[in-house]
Amino acid sequence: MGAVRKSPPITLPTYDFDRLVASGLAAYQRSDPYADLLLSKLERAASFAASPPPRDVVAVTCRVRYRLDDEPTVRAHRLVYPGHVIASEEEISAASALGVAMLGLRRGDRIPFRDNATGSEHVVEIADVGPPRSTVDAVPPRPFDRLLR
């Protein structure tokens, strides 16, 4: 497994950031084991208002092709909001250890992560990022916009 010297920058669209913060806080209140992981990742993230996100940024609803631990096999899953996993063979929750690790990365980025369920350490490398499924469905109104008017 190749060494990862430092964590790459994390960039997320504002609509993903807002929804994931709300989801992370709710998970924290439920004592979800991945809540701390998700919230600490979001704390390091920079958000941007562009819609759709740049083609090479891993955002929720994107199809992500990736490698685990320098395996030759490239895997692919669509990243979905926590609680929205329908086809578990094709989708992965953005609140899972792997989903959190991939959030906000770009093509070619590598980052280590720990799977708390198995206790094992892994490194994920982003091979490619597909476009989000639908930016119309993914963009909720900003939660506090109405209070600012």
Side-chain angles (χ1 to χ4, degrees):
M1 184 170 17
V4 178
R5 299 202 193 298
K6 68 176 192 169
S7 295
I10 308 304
T11 308
L12 288 170
T14 301
Y15 55 84
D16 277 354
F17 182 85
D18 291 348
R19 285 183 78 172
L20 291 170
V21 166
S23 179
L25 291 172
Y28 183 80
Q29 290 177 331
R30 291 189 312 269
S31 299
D32 184 303
Y34 291 112
D36 286 336
L37 182 64
L38 177 59
L39 292 172
S40 67
K41 177 94 175 222
L42 293 172
E43 196 171 50
R44 294 188 312 113
S47 63
F48 60 90
S51 178
R55 173 107 167 100
D56 66 340
V57 172
V58 177
V60 181
T61 75
C62 289
R63 185 157 181 82
V64 184
R65 294 173 35 90
Y66 61 94
R67 283 187 180 80
L68 279 179
D69 304 325
D70 295 326
E71 294 176 345
T73 305
V74 174
R75 303 171 190 215
H77 286 93
R78 184 168 304 279
L79 206 59
V80 297
Y81 288 105
H84 290 184
V85 177
I86 296 170
S88 61
E89 296 295 317
E90 298 174 12
E91 299 173 337
I92 186 166
S93 171
S96 68
L98 176 58
V100 169
M102 293 190 296
L103 272 174
L105 299 182
R106 293 179 178 267
R107 186 179 305 116
D109 284 347
R110 297 171 51 88
I111 194 165
F113 72 97
R114 179 182 176 85
D115 185 344
N116 290 340
T118 64
S120 54
E121 300 279 337
H122 300 282
V123 173
V124 64
E125 177 182 359
I126 306 303
D128 195 19
V129 182
R133 182 178 288 156
S134 168
T135 55
V136 173
D137 294 338
V139 183
R142 294 294 305 250
F144 301 110
D145 276 356
R146 62 185 159 82
L147 298 175
L148 300 174
R149 292 185 201 157

